Amino acid sequence: MRLSKERREQLGGYAQAAVFLDGLVTIDNLVEAFNREEEEPTTFEEMHHGLRRFLATTPKSEISVEFAIYKDAYIANSELSKEQIEELIEEFENEGCSCGCSGYENKEATTAELIGLTAEIAAPLYGVLNFQELADILNHYHPQFHIVKDDILPGLTKHIEFSGEDVDYTIFEGFIVSPMILPDAIEMTDADVELIDNIRAEQKNHDRYLPDYEEFVRYATPIHEMMSDSFDRFLSFLDKNSKRLGIKEVGSLAITFLQLLKAGMEPNYFIEFFQEEGCSFSSTKFIDEFMGHAGEVYHHTRMYHLNGHTQSELELKVEDDLGIVTKVGRNEPCPCGSGKKFKKCCL
């Protein structure tokens, strides 16, 4: 089941208003009230799924009234204590779960959805990761669930079934892969396998980028990476010089460029890529200006082979580790530890 951001926010906003007024409501009653007041009706399944996605992908700073889902049948104001919540739901407990499921099935569905939603963030952010690594990420952000490696494939399978196979990751031989790299595991090529192998080999040189949870969930949408100042300046430059470059679709070309950067395209291929797309560069001065903007995007893009880090973050880390800024020759190994020559890495 795929819901638009607008629909998730509509359902989440309605739930926030309900728990603000009543403290605790059943999801069944929430659906009934919603369908009486809104033009586009909902179902228990859509409300339940929508609220979980809303909680998983919305930073806490953007939630006016925090709430939680209990026993897959209720939502409660997070300011209530456990004892207060238990008192409020006691009268419902004798009637069983209002959604008609057993407690075990509900827990299983909740875990599967959490695994799937986290995969939809992690795959586009890190490019490639295995089942154990996804379990580690889940336990980093949600230690209360105690996820193990063997939970991952069943969870992803259930999530795909529930979502109608419209998910932002591809499963391939024990790996979870970004659809930017591998849209379909059935139609993969030798080049796809080589790219995955190269990314995995380079990821070993870097710790995983693990921001606070509010930042992590922002990567549920690719738009987040397009909101950086460097990308905005690059887009403005391309738009301003679109006729000079010969670009018709500025936005789509810039997004393709960003996707290739994430997959590991090096600066020495920038001009070649744009030329292959039909662009022309009229002077050395113009090339320098273009490379200045493109280089800024390159340094501030979260890359798969860097385990989600940016080049600029690694450069700062190298400076901090050394204590001083050390001069490195263009043909010497890059001090970031990538194994590449400095001129092809952090220069």
Side-chain angles (χ1 to χ4, degrees):
M1 181 183 295
R2 297 287 288 176
L3 300 178
S4 67
K5 183 174 184 293
E6 291 74 18
R7 185 63 165 174
R8 295 198 307 268
E9 289 179 345
Q10 182 188 27
L11 297 175
Y14 199 87
Q16 290 180 85
V19 297
F20 175 75
L21 292 173
D22 299 327
L24 180 141
V25 294
T26 67
I27 297 179
D28 275 335
N29 289 342
L30 191 67
V31 169
E32 290 177 9
F34 183 92
N35 290 342
R36 286 196 301 268
E37 299 176 11
E38 301 295 329
E39 293 183 1
E40 183 181 355
T42 188
T43 62
F44 180 95
E45 290 74 18
E46 185 190 51
M47 179 66 79
H48 182 272
H49 181 66
L51 294 183
R52 288 207 175 277
R53 286 199 67 102
F54 176 80
L55 292 172
T57 60
T58 306
K60 289 185 178 180
S61 60
E62 296 179 12
I63 297 178
S64 57
V65 181
E66 289 190 46
F67 64 91
I69 298 175
Y70 285 85
K71 301 180 185 296
D72 285 326
Y74 313 90
I75 60 169
N77 191 317
S78 295
E79 293 184 358
L80 296 176
S81 68
K82 182 179 179 180
E83 290 74 19
Q84 289 173 314
I85 293 171
E86 289 298 328
E87 288 178 5
L88 288 171
I89 67 175
E90 185 176 358
E91 61 184 279
F92 297 107
E93 285 298 299
N94 294 328
E95 300 175 6
C97 175
S98 61
C99 68
C101 302
S102 72
Y104 175 76
E105 290 170 337
N106 285 330
K107 181 178 180 181
E108 189 177 55
T110 300
T111 303
E113 188 166 10
L114 181 64
I115 289 171
L117 292 174
T118 305
E120 289 199 78
I121 299 172
L125 179 57
Y126 306 118
V128 185
L129 66 163
N130 62 30
F131 292 170
Q132 182 59 60
E133 289 165 341
L134 182 62
D136 292 341
I137 292 168
L138 281 155
N139 290 323
H140 175 78
Y141 290 116
H142 308 284
Q144 70 275 23
F145 282 90
H146 304 291
I147 304 295
V148 297
K149 177 183 176 182
D150 290 343
D151 293 330
I152 299 301
L153 184 56
L156 294 176
T157 302
K158 284 184 176 294
H159 180 250
I160 291 172
E161 291 174 358
F162 191 59
S163 303
E165 298 188 3
D166 184 13
V167 296
D168 292 329
Y169 56 85
T170 302
I171 301 174
F172 164 67
E173 295 186 356
F175 290 99
I176 301 148
V177 186
S178 168
M180 294 181 189
I181 299 174
L182 193 63
D184 189 341
I186 297 176
E187 299 180 4
M188 65 186 305
T189 65
D190 291 342
D192 294 328
V193 176
E194 183 179 1
L195 176 58
I196 291 171
D197 288 343
N198 289 339
I199 290 172
R200 291 298 291 173
E202 294 196 34
Q203 282 180 342
K204 295 177 181 178
N205 298 315
H206 306 284
D207 296 331
R208 187 173 304 282
Y209 170 67
L210 289 170
D212 61 55
Y213 193 64
E214 287 192 12
E215 175 66 16
F216 180 73
V217 298
R218 292 181 189 275
Y219 291 94
T221 169
I223 295 175
H224 182 56
E225 291 224 62
M226 299 172 199
M227 294 173 65
S228 68
D229 291 340
S230 58
F231 188 80
D232 187 57
R233 287 192 292 268
F234 180 61
L235 195 61
S236 297
F237 172 80
L238 294 180
D239 188 55
K240 179 182 177 181
N241 295 280
S242 58
K243 290 184 179 180
R244 185 175 184 179
L245 286 163
I247 301 175
K248 294 182 180 180
E249 297 292 336
V250 172
S252 60
L253 184 58
I255 292 171
T256 300
F257 176 69
L258 180 66
Q259 292 172 344
L260 290 173
L261 286 185
K262 291 181 67 64
M265 183 171 68
E266 299 288 350
N268 49 316
Y269 289 104
F270 290 179
I271 298 295
E272 181 180 337
F273 163 73
F274 277 86
Q275 287 176 331
E276 289 176 351
E277 294 295 323
C279 297
S280 58
F281 296 86
S282 54
S283 68
T284 302
K285 182 180 179 181
F286 184 62
I287 289 176
D288 290 341
E289 188 177 1
F290 166 84
M291 287 298 292
H293 287 288
E296 278 294 301
V297 178
Y298 171 77
H299 275 80
H300 293 89
T301 295
R302 302 209 169 278
M303 299 184 180
Y304 302 146
H305 67 282
L306 302 182
N307 249 336
H309 288 286
T310 67
Q311 291 285 357
S312 61
E313 287 173 348
L314 294 185
E315 290 168 18
L316 289 173
K317 183 178 184 301
V318 169
E319 292 181 9
D320 290 341
D321 290 345
L322 294 177
I324 58 170
V325 180
T326 303
K327 180 153 182 77
V328 181
R330 290 171 54 84
N331 292 310
E332 293 178 13
C334 185
C336 76
S338 67
K340 298 179 183 180
K341 291 182 179 180
F342 184 49
K343 67 180 179 182
K344 291 186 176 181
C345 190
C346 293
L347 179 59

mmCIF file of all heavy atoms in Angstrom, residues 174-201:
data_model
loop_
_atom_site.group_PDB
_atom_site.id
_atom_site.type_symbol
_atom_site.label_atom_id
_atom_site.label_comp_id
_atom_site.label_asym_id
_atom_site.label_seq_id
_atom_site.Cartn_x
_atom_site.Cartn_y
_atom_site.Cartn_z
ATOM 1 N N GLY A 174 20.837 -11.537 -0.953
ATOM 2 C CA GLY A 174 21.182 -11.155 0.413
ATOM 3 C C GLY A 174 21.511 -9.692 0.587
ATOM 4 O O GLY A 174 21.911 -9.270 1.681
ATOM 5 N N PHE A 175 21.331 -8.896 -0.464
ATOM 6 C CA PHE A 175 21.592 -7.459 -0.385
ATOM 7 C C PHE A 175 20.308 -6.675 -0.640
ATOM 8 O O PHE A 175 19.409 -7.121 -1.352
ATOM 9 C CB PHE A 175 22.646 -7.029 -1.410
ATOM 10 C CG PHE A 175 24.026 -7.517 -1.108
ATOM 11 C CD1 PHE A 175 24.532 -8.634 -1.753
ATOM 12 C CD2 PHE A 175 24.813 -6.874 -0.161
ATOM 13 C CE1 PHE A 175 25.811 -9.100 -1.474
ATOM 14 C CE2 PHE A 175 26.086 -7.328 0.122
ATOM 15 C CZ PHE A 175 26.585 -8.449 -0.535
ATOM 16 N N ILE A 176 20.252 -5.491 -0.045
ATOM 17 C CA ILE A 176 19.180 -4.531 -0.294
ATOM 18 C C ILE A 176 19.825 -3.411 -1.105
ATOM 19 O O ILE A 176 20.786 -2.789 -0.653
ATOM 20 C CB ILE A 176 18.608 -3.993 1.026
ATOM 21 C CG1 ILE A 176 18.077 -5.160 1.866
ATOM 22 C CG2 ILE A 176 17.506 -2.992 0.772
ATOM 23 C CD1 ILE A 176 18.210 -4.946 3.340
ATOM 24 N N VAL A 177 19.320 -3.165 -2.309
ATOM 25 C CA VAL A 177 19.987 -2.287 -3.265
ATOM 26 C C VAL A 177 19.070 -1.138 -3.652
ATOM 27 O O VAL A 177 17.857 -1.314 -3.820
ATOM 28 C CB VAL A 177 20.395 -3.075 -4.530
ATOM 29 C CG1 VAL A 177 21.225 -2.202 -5.470
ATOM 30 C CG2 VAL A 177 21.172 -4.344 -4.164
ATOM 31 N N SER A 178 19.657 0.042 -3.805
ATOM 32 C CA SER A 178 18.909 1.205 -4.259
ATOM 33 C C SER A 178 18.371 0.964 -5.663
ATOM 34 O O SER A 178 19.076 0.443 -6.525
ATOM 35 C CB SER A 178 19.809 2.440 -4.265
ATOM 36 O OG SER A 178 19.180 3.508 -4.968
ATOM 37 N N PRO A 179 17.113 1.365 -5.930
ATOM 38 C CA PRO A 179 16.583 1.223 -7.293
ATOM 39 C C PRO A 179 17.319 2.091 -8.301
ATOM 40 O O PRO A 179 17.220 1.857 -9.505
ATOM 41 C CB PRO A 179 15.114 1.643 -7.146
ATOM 42 C CG PRO A 179 15.063 2.455 -5.896
ATOM 43 C CD PRO A 179 16.117 1.903 -4.993
ATOM 44 N N MET A 180 18.072 3.096 -7.827
ATOM 45 C CA MET A 180 18.898 3.890 -8.740
ATOM 46 C C MET A 180 20.015 3.032 -9.336
ATOM 47 O O MET A 180 20.493 3.292 -10.438
ATOM 48 C CB MET A 180 19.509 5.084 -8.004
ATOM 49 C CG MET A 180 18.502 6.108 -7.526
ATOM 50 S SD MET A 180 19.342 7.490 -6.709
ATOM 51 C CE MET A 180 17.947 8.389 -6.031
ATOM 52 N N ILE A 181 20.458 2.022 -8.581
ATOM 53 C CA ILE A 181 21.506 1.120 -9.052
ATOM 54 C C ILE A 181 20.906 -0.073 -9.762
ATOM 55 O O ILE A 181 21.338 -0.471 -10.849
ATOM 56 C CB ILE A 181 22.367 0.610 -7.870
ATOM 57 C CG1 ILE A 181 23.050 1.777 -7.173
ATOM 58 C CG2 ILE A 181 23.396 -0.409 -8.341
ATOM 59 C CD1 ILE A 181 23.795 1.372 -5.930
ATOM 60 N N LEU A 182 19.881 -0.657 -9.154
ATOM 61 C CA LEU A 182 19.303 -1.896 -9.662
ATOM 62 C C LEU A 182 17.772 -1.811 -9.580
ATOM 63 O O LEU A 182 17.180 -2.208 -8.582
ATOM 64 C CB LEU A 182 19.814 -3.076 -8.830
ATOM 65 C CG LEU A 182 19.567 -4.480 -9.371
ATOM 66 C CD1 LEU A 182 20.277 -4.680 -10.704
ATOM 67 C CD2 LEU A 182 20.050 -5.521 -8.369
ATOM 68 N N PRO A 183 17.124 -1.301 -10.630
ATOM 69 C CA PRO A 183 15.667 -1.197 -10.600
ATOM 70 C C PRO A 183 14.975 -2.551 -10.512
ATOM 71 O O PRO A 183 13.931 -2.683 -9.906
ATOM 72 C CB PRO A 183 15.338 -0.500 -11.934
ATOM 73 C CG PRO A 183 16.608 0.157 -12.361
ATOM 74 C CD PRO A 183 17.706 -0.717 -11.841
ATOM 75 N N ASP A 184 15.582 -3.579 -11.139
ATOM 76 C CA ASP A 184 14.951 -4.903 -11.186
ATOM 77 C C ASP A 184 16.037 -5.973 -11.162
ATOM 78 O O ASP A 184 16.871 -6.044 -12.068
ATOM 79 C CB ASP A 184 14.121 -5.029 -12.465
ATOM 80 C CG ASP A 184 13.273 -6.292 -12.484
ATOM 81 O OD1 ASP A 184 13.569 -7.223 -11.715
ATOM 82 O OD2 ASP A 184 12.313 -6.335 -13.270
ATOM 83 N N ALA A 185 16.026 -6.810 -10.137
ATOM 84 C CA ALA A 185 17.046 -7.856 -10.006
ATOM 85 C C ALA A 185 16.958 -8.892 -11.119
ATOM 86 O O ALA A 185 17.931 -9.588 -11.410
ATOM 87 C CB ALA A 185 16.928 -8.544 -8.642
ATOM 88 N N ILE A 186 15.802 -9.022 -11.759
ATOM 89 C CA ILE A 186 15.631 -10.017 -12.819
ATOM 90 C C ILE A 186 16.351 -9.589 -14.093
ATOM 91 O O ILE A 186 16.887 -10.415 -14.835
ATOM 92 C CB ILE A 186 14.127 -10.237 -13.101
ATOM 93 C CG1 ILE A 186 13.439 -10.795 -11.852
ATOM 94 C CG2 ILE A 186 13.921 -11.184 -14.285
ATOM 95 C CD1 ILE A 186 11.943 -10.946 -11.987
ATOM 96 N N GLU A 187 16.375 -8.279 -14.353
ATOM 97 C CA GLU A 187 16.959 -7.775 -15.594
ATOM 98 C C GLU A 187 18.345 -7.175 -15.380
ATOM 99 O O GLU A 187 18.781 -6.319 -16.134
ATOM 100 C CB GLU A 187 16.030 -6.730 -16.215
ATOM 101 C CG GLU A 187 14.659 -7.271 -16.569
ATOM 102 C CD GLU A 187 13.759 -6.222 -17.188
ATOM 103 O OE1 GLU A 187 14.250 -5.089 -17.402
ATOM 104 O OE2 GLU A 187 12.595 -6.526 -17.466
ATOM 105 N N MET A 188 19.063 -7.629 -14.383
ATOM 106 C CA MET A 188 20.367 -7.061 -14.079
ATOM 107 C C MET A 188 21.401 -7.485 -15.117
ATOM 108 O O MET A 188 21.257 -8.505 -15.797
ATOM 109 C CB MET A 188 20.813 -7.482 -12.691
ATOM 110 C CG MET A 188 21.055 -8.965 -12.520
ATOM 111 S SD MET A 188 21.410 -9.360 -10.820
ATOM 112 C CE MET A 188 22.768 -8.267 -10.501
ATOM 113 N N THR A 189 22.452 -6.686 -15.244
ATOM 114 C CA THR A 189 23.528 -6.945 -16.198
ATOM 115 C C THR A 189 24.841 -7.167 -15.452
ATOM 116 O O THR A 189 24.934 -6.956 -14.243
ATOM 117 C CB THR A 189 23.686 -5.751 -17.157
ATOM 118 O OG1 THR A 189 24.125 -4.600 -16.394
ATOM 119 C CG2 THR A 189 22.367 -5.415 -17.843
ATOM 120 N N ASP A 190 25.868 -7.576 -16.193
ATOM 121 C CA ASP A 190 27.198 -7.734 -15.597
ATOM 122 C C ASP A 190 27.712 -6.404 -15.060
ATOM 123 O O ASP A 190 28.408 -6.361 -14.043
ATOM 124 C CB ASP A 190 28.176 -8.288 -16.640
ATOM 125 C CG ASP A 190 27.872 -9.736 -17.011
ATOM 126 O OD1 ASP A 190 27.160 -10.402 -16.242
ATOM 127 O OD2 ASP A 190 28.342 -10.195 -18.073
ATOM 128 N N ALA A 191 27.356 -5.315 -15.743
ATOM 129 C CA ALA A 191 27.774 -3.984 -15.285
ATOM 130 C C ALA A 191 27.144 -3.649 -13.936
ATOM 131 O O ALA A 191 27.779 -3.022 -13.081
ATOM 132 C CB ALA A 191 27.395 -2.929 -16.320
ATOM 133 N N ASP A 192 25.889 -4.074 -13.736
ATOM 134 C CA ASP A 192 25.219 -3.842 -12.449
ATOM 135 C C ASP A 192 25.949 -4.582 -11.328
ATOM 136 O O ASP A 192 26.181 -4.032 -10.245
ATOM 137 C CB ASP A 192 23.765 -4.326 -12.507
ATOM 138 C CG ASP A 192 22.913 -3.510 -13.460
ATOM 139 O OD1 ASP A 192 23.181 -2.303 -13.595
ATOM 140 O OD2 ASP A 192 21.995 -4.086 -14.063
ATOM 141 N N VAL A 193 26.298 -5.833 -11.577
ATOM 142 C CA VAL A 193 27.011 -6.638 -10.582
ATOM 143 C C VAL A 193 28.366 -6.025 -10.266
ATOM 144 O O VAL A 193 28.775 -5.942 -9.103
ATOM 145 C CB VAL A 193 27.184 -8.093 -11.074
ATOM 146 C CG1 VAL A 193 28.014 -8.902 -10.072
ATOM 147 C CG2 VAL A 193 25.827 -8.755 -11.284
ATOM 148 N N GLU A 194 29.068 -5.566 -11.305
ATOM 149 C CA GLU A 194 30.385 -4.949 -11.096
ATOM 150 C C GLU A 194 30.273 -3.679 -10.262
ATOM 151 O O GLU A 194 31.098 -3.438 -9.371
ATOM 152 C CB GLU A 194 31.026 -4.627 -12.454
ATOM 153 C CG GLU A 194 32.425 -4.056 -12.330
ATOM 154 C CD GLU A 194 33.061 -3.755 -13.677
ATOM 155 O OE1 GLU A 194 32.406 -3.980 -14.722
ATOM 156 O OE2 GLU A 194 34.219 -3.291 -13.689
ATOM 157 N N LEU A 195 29.244 -2.865 -10.538
ATOM 158 C CA LEU A 195 29.048 -1.637 -9.771
ATOM 159 C C LEU A 195 28.774 -1.953 -8.307
ATOM 160 O O LEU A 195 29.339 -1.324 -7.398
ATOM 161 C CB LEU A 195 27.894 -0.823 -10.355
ATOM 162 C CG LEU A 195 27.501 0.456 -9.601
ATOM 163 C CD1 LEU A 195 28.685 1.405 -9.487
ATOM 164 C CD2 LEU A 195 26.320 1.144 -10.284
ATOM 165 N N ILE A 196 27.913 -2.933 -8.057
ATOM 166 C CA ILE A 196 27.610 -3.334 -6.674
ATOM 167 C C ILE A 196 28.867 -3.823 -5.974
ATOM 168 O O ILE A 196 29.142 -3.454 -4.818
ATOM 169 C CB ILE A 196 26.514 -4.418 -6.661
ATOM 170 C CG1 ILE A 196 25.173 -3.806 -7.095
ATOM 171 C CG2 ILE A 196 26.379 -5.044 -5.268
ATOM 172 C CD1 ILE A 196 24.073 -4.822 -7.316
ATOM 173 N N ASP A 197 29.672 -4.649 -6.660
ATOM 174 C CA ASP A 197 30.916 -5.161 -6.070
ATOM 175 C C ASP A 197 31.878 -4.026 -5.734
ATOM 176 O O ASP A 197 32.524 -4.031 -4.674
ATOM 177 C CB ASP A 197 31.594 -6.144 -7.029
ATOM 178 C CG ASP A 197 30.847 -7.472 -7.126
ATOM 179 O OD1 ASP A 197 30.030 -7.749 -6.240
ATOM 180 O OD2 ASP A 197 31.099 -8.220 -8.097
ATOM 181 N N ASN A 198 31.980 -3.040 -6.634
ATOM 182 C CA ASN A 198 32.887 -1.911 -6.406
ATOM 183 C C ASN A 198 32.431 -1.062 -5.216
ATOM 184 O O ASN A 198 33.251 -0.624 -4.399
ATOM 185 C CB ASN A 198 32.969 -1.037 -7.659
ATOM 186 C CG ASN A 198 33.712 -1.701 -8.796
ATOM 187 O OD1 ASN A 198 34.495 -2.635 -8.570
ATOM 188 N ND2 ASN A 198 33.477 -1.263 -10.013
ATOM 189 N N ILE A 199 31.138 -0.824 -5.131
ATOM 190 C CA ILE A 199 30.605 -0.047 -4.005
ATOM 191 C C ILE A 199 30.882 -0.767 -2.694
ATOM 192 O O ILE A 199 31.338 -0.167 -1.711
ATOM 193 C CB ILE A 199 29.093 0.204 -4.183
ATOM 194 C CG1 ILE A 199 28.851 1.194 -5.327
ATOM 195 C CG2 ILE A 199 28.476 0.739 -2.881
ATOM 196 C CD1 ILE A 199 27.392 1.348 -5.710
ATOM 197 N N ARG A 200 30.616 -2.065 -2.657
ATOM 198 C CA ARG A 200 30.832 -2.837 -1.431
ATOM 199 C C ARG A 200 32.302 -2.837 -1.022
ATOM 200 O O ARG A 200 32.630 -2.736 0.166
ATOM 201 C CB ARG A 200 30.352 -4.276 -1.630
ATOM 202 C CG ARG A 200 28.861 -4.414 -1.755
ATOM 203 C CD ARG A 200 28.145 -3.960 -0.506
ATOM 204 N NE ARG A 200 28.375 -4.861 0.619
ATOM 205 C CZ ARG A 200 27.981 -4.642 1.854
ATOM 206 N NH1 ARG A 200 27.347 -3.511 2.155
ATOM 207 N NH2 ARG A 200 28.207 -5.516 2.818
ATOM 208 N N ALA A 201 33.192 -2.941 -2.003
ATOM 209 C CA ALA A 201 34.624 -2.956 -1.693
ATOM 210 C C ALA A 201 35.063 -1.641 -1.067
ATOM 211 O O ALA A 201 35.854 -1.617 -0.114
ATOM 212 C CB ALA A 201 35.426 -3.237 -2.963
#
